[in-house]
């Protein structure tokens, strides 16, 4: 009778063992994958970055023989605010990914202050970049730890100031444990807008010389977006900023706007200049403007009725 239970467990041991072996095999396959983007043997560290970024006849594709970026040349001067606009899938986010060296171009090169980014160590390259992307990555840690992830040496006072500038402080102090609240895996305990504000606060705290914003305010309501836009305007001052935005009203003050279509830059200029050209940018603007006008007309009709 005493042997019955141990023998019964022993029968099930092999099934559990096989499940564990299968899982281990999958894990080790992932661990054995060699990254395609690595530091070159002679890569150097960079310290003081001005923020000049150049794309020199750069092409890239995720699928072989299907180019996403086709031989683009793009010059971004230090301190400029440059906006990238265009339809979804045109290649705007890929441009930011290439600057961060998440991928390497298949031809051409990208330079930072005249140095090919392939010749710069990825640690020092990325330490000079702040990225707020559409897909926010948060860790299963406190809100304070997530905000100071890019600048762990900063104080709680600095963290609070960054959160205030990002219009996040108000909702944070309303949480049960405030800045010590655990956000859950990938921020599952927060809303989309709250996660986005945490990411913006993180970028503000890091205070890097190059700021990359990929639809950074897309999940915010109008009131929060206005507050964050004001803070971002201060953050953009005297630093190189590349903004991707579908809402053209948010990038009208940019120093330069580039229209990206099918992997090529088809139009460049300031807001008013591009409207006067009556090209792709003007058409995008007209579509958005007419849509907002129709919405306002409908709202006014509903109010009257």
């Amino acid at each position: 009778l005493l042997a019955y239970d141990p023998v019964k467990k022993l029968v099930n041991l092999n099934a559990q063992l096989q499940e564990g072996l299968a899982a281990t095999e999958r894990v080790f396959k992932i661990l054995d994958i060699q990254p395609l983007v690595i530091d070159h043997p002679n890569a150097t560290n960079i310290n003081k970055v001005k923020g000049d970024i150049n794309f020199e006849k750069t092409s890239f594709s995720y699928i072989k023989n299907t180019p996403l970026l086709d031989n683009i040349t793009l010059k971004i001067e230090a301190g400029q605010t440059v906006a990238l606009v265009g339809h979804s899938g045109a290649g705007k986010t890929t441009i930011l990914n290439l600057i961060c060296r998440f991928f390497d171009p298949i031809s051409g090169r990208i330079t930072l202050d005249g140095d090919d980014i392939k010749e710069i160590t990825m640690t020092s390259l990325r330490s000079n970049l702040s990225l707020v992307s559409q897909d926010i990555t948060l860790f299963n840690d406190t809100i304070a730890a997530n905000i100071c992830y890019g600048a762990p040496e900063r104080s709680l006072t600095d963290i609070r100031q960054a959160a205030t500038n990002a219009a996040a402080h108000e909702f944070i102090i309303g949480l049960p444990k405030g800045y010590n609240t655990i956000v859950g895996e990938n921020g599952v305990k927060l809303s989309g807008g709250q996660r986005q504000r945490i990411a913006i606060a993180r970028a503000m705290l890091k205070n890097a010389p190059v700021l990359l914003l990929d639809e950074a305010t897309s999940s915010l309501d109008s009131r929060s977006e206005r507050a964050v836009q004001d803070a971002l305007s201060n953050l953009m001052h005297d630093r190189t900023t590349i903004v991707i935005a579908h809402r053209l009203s948010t990038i009208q003050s940019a120093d330069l706007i580039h229209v990206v279509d099918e992997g090529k830059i088809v139009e460049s200029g300031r807001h008013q200049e591009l409207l006067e050209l009556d090209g792709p940018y003007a058409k995008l603007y007209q579509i958005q403007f007419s849509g907002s006008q129709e919405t306002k007309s409908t709202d006014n009709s509903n109010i009257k009725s």
Side-chain angles (χ1 to χ4, degrees):
L1 289 174
L2 290 173
Y4 175 76
D5 191 54
V7 170
K8 185 178 178 181
K9 290 180 179 178
L10 192 63
V11 171
N12 296 326
L13 176 62
N14 184 56
Q16 296 173 1
L17 184 62
Q18 293 304 319
E19 287 179 5
L21 288 171
T24 303
E25 185 178 352
R26 291 195 297 270
V27 168
F28 275 99
K29 280 183 179 179
I30 294 172
L31 293 176
D32 290 339
I33 294 174
Q34 295 298 316
L36 297 177
V37 180
I38 59 175
D39 282 335
H40 284 213
N42 298 321
T44 58
N45 292 317
I46 54 173
N47 296 313
K48 294 183 179 179
V49 170
K50 292 190 301 180
D52 285 316
I53 300 173
N54 287 327
F55 282 70
E56 301 175 2
K57 297 182 178 179
T58 304
S59 297
F60 176 78
S61 65
Y62 293 105
I63 304 172
K64 192 175 181 180
N65 299 324
T66 308
L68 181 60
L69 295 180
D70 187 11
N71 202 34
I72 68 167
T73 296
L74 176 63
K75 183 177 177 61
I76 302 169
E77 296 180 1
Q80 272 192 330
T81 295
V82 173
L84 303 176
V85 301
H87 299 291
S88 297
K92 305 182 299 296
T93 298
T94 301
I95 290 175
L96 298 194
N97 288 340
L98 291 176
I99 294 173
C100 298
R101 274 205 80 196
F102 295 151
F103 307 96
D104 280 335
I106 58 175
S107 66
R109 69 174 194 153
I110 304 166
T111 64
L112 176 61
D113 290 350
D115 297 321
D116 191 328
I117 61 172
K118 289 184 180 179
E119 304 300 327
I120 302 170
T121 60
M122 283 190 284
T123 300
S124 65
L125 171 67
R126 292 171 182 171
S127 68
N128 286 282
L129 307 175
S130 288
L131 171 66
V132 182
S133 65
Q134 301 176 60
D135 302 317
I136 306 302
T137 299
L138 296 181
F139 302 97
N140 188 19
D141 205 333
T142 64
I143 287 177
N146 274 284
I147 292 176
C148 73
Y149 178 73
E153 73 285 353
R154 304 296 288 272
S155 67
L156 181 58
T157 302
D158 294 332
I159 293 171
R160 286 174 176 268
Q161 185 59 52
T164 301
N165 291 340
H169 178 73
E170 187 175 340
F171 88 78
I172 292 173
I173 60 175
L175 297 172
K177 295 185 178 180
Y179 283 83
N180 292 318
T181 301
I182 302 294
V183 301
E185 191 67 37
N186 210 24
V188 68
K189 296 181 181 179
L190 302 177
S191 69
Q194 289 172 338
R195 289 196 297 270
Q196 204 160 31
R197 278 177 276 181
I198 295 297
I200 293 170
R202 179 192 293 166
M204 290 179 169
L205 186 68
K206 187 178 180 182
N207 200 28
V210 178
L211 179 63
L212 308 174
L213 303 174
D214 186 0
E215 287 292 316
T217 59
S218 60
S219 297
L220 302 183
D221 58 81
S222 299
R223 180 184 175 187
S224 297
E225 183 182 28
R226 194 178 303 111
V228 171
Q229 283 291 354
D230 291 340
L232 285 176
S233 296
N234 294 330
L235 183 64
M236 291 175 187
H237 186 64
D238 287 337
R239 79 184 67 237
T240 304
T241 306
I242 304 176
V243 184
I244 294 175
H246 286 293
R247 280 183 280 194
L248 302 184
S249 58
T250 62
I251 49 91
Q252 291 181 15
S253 60
D255 297 313
L256 200 59
I257 300 171
H258 297 289
V259 182
V260 184
D261 186 32
E262 295 184 355
K264 296 181 179 180
I265 295 175
V266 297
E267 203 173 42
S268 300
R270 294 181 67 87
H271 171 70
Q272 195 58 42
E273 294 171 351
L274 293 176
L275 288 182
E276 291 172 359
L277 287 175
D278 197 26
Y281 180 83
K283 289 181 174 60
L284 286 172
Y285 185 79
Q286 288 165 8
I287 291 171
Q288 288 195 11
F289 182 75
S290 62
S292 62
Q293 287 294 98
E294 288 173 7
T295 302
K296 289 179 181 178
S297 300
T298 304
D299 291 343
N300 289 335
S301 299
N302 291 336
I303 290 171
K304 290 177 181 178
S305 57

